[in-house]
Amino acid sequence: MNDGDEQVMTEEQYEKLMESVADHKQSESGGRAIYENPGVKCMNPRCPHGEFDALIVSDIGWMEFTTHGALSMCMCEVDTEEGRKKLMFMHEL
């Protein structure tokens, strides 16, 4: 998703983000963590929602989740020393 004037998330941005988010819940099977947001702005420069409500970080392929209300998501991938991570910024509408 790099259209020339926008860069994808760097590992340094990812590490700074991980220092900013609150406690997390690890999935039972591993490979996925859900972080609560203590007032952190979404990393997507095009995001119209500002702060995100939750962040899912995964290094597994397929994921399934269920919502009980309207959500908007911003998604990206980042390469880290631990491997590629998929990030989903969840915005409750």
Side-chain angles (χ1 to χ4, degrees):
M1 279 190 154
N2 187 351
D3 62 5
D5 63 346
E6 226 178 284
Q7 297 295 318
V8 295
M9 183 183 291
T10 65
E11 185 172 7
E12 292 78 21
Q13 289 172 317
Y14 172 76
E15 289 171 0
K16 185 175 180 181
L17 174 65
M18 292 295 100
E19 293 172 0
S20 302
V21 293
D23 294 334
H24 72 280
K25 300 176 187 174
Q26 190 76 33
S27 69
E28 291 179 13
S29 60
R32 182 181 67 217
I34 301 175
Y35 296 85
E36 296 178 19
N37 174 19
V40 179
K41 187 174 185 289
C42 183
M43 300 292 288
N44 180 355
R46 295 181 181 170
C47 178
H49 305 294
E51 296 176 359
F52 57 90
D53 296 294
L55 169 65
I56 299 174
V57 177
S58 175
D59 58 1
I60 56 177
W62 288 98
M63 287 188 289
E64 178 184 356
F65 58 92
T66 304
T67 66
H68 298 287
L71 285 177
S72 177
M73 291 185 289
C74 296
M75 297 185 287
C76 71
E77 292 185 345
V78 61
D79 289 317
T80 70
E81 288 183 13
E82 295 86 34
R84 179 164 282 191
K85 303 285 184 188
K86 298 172 184 150
L87 285 73
M88 290 194 298
F89 297 88
M90 314 293 282
H91 304 278
E92 292 180 15
L93 301 179

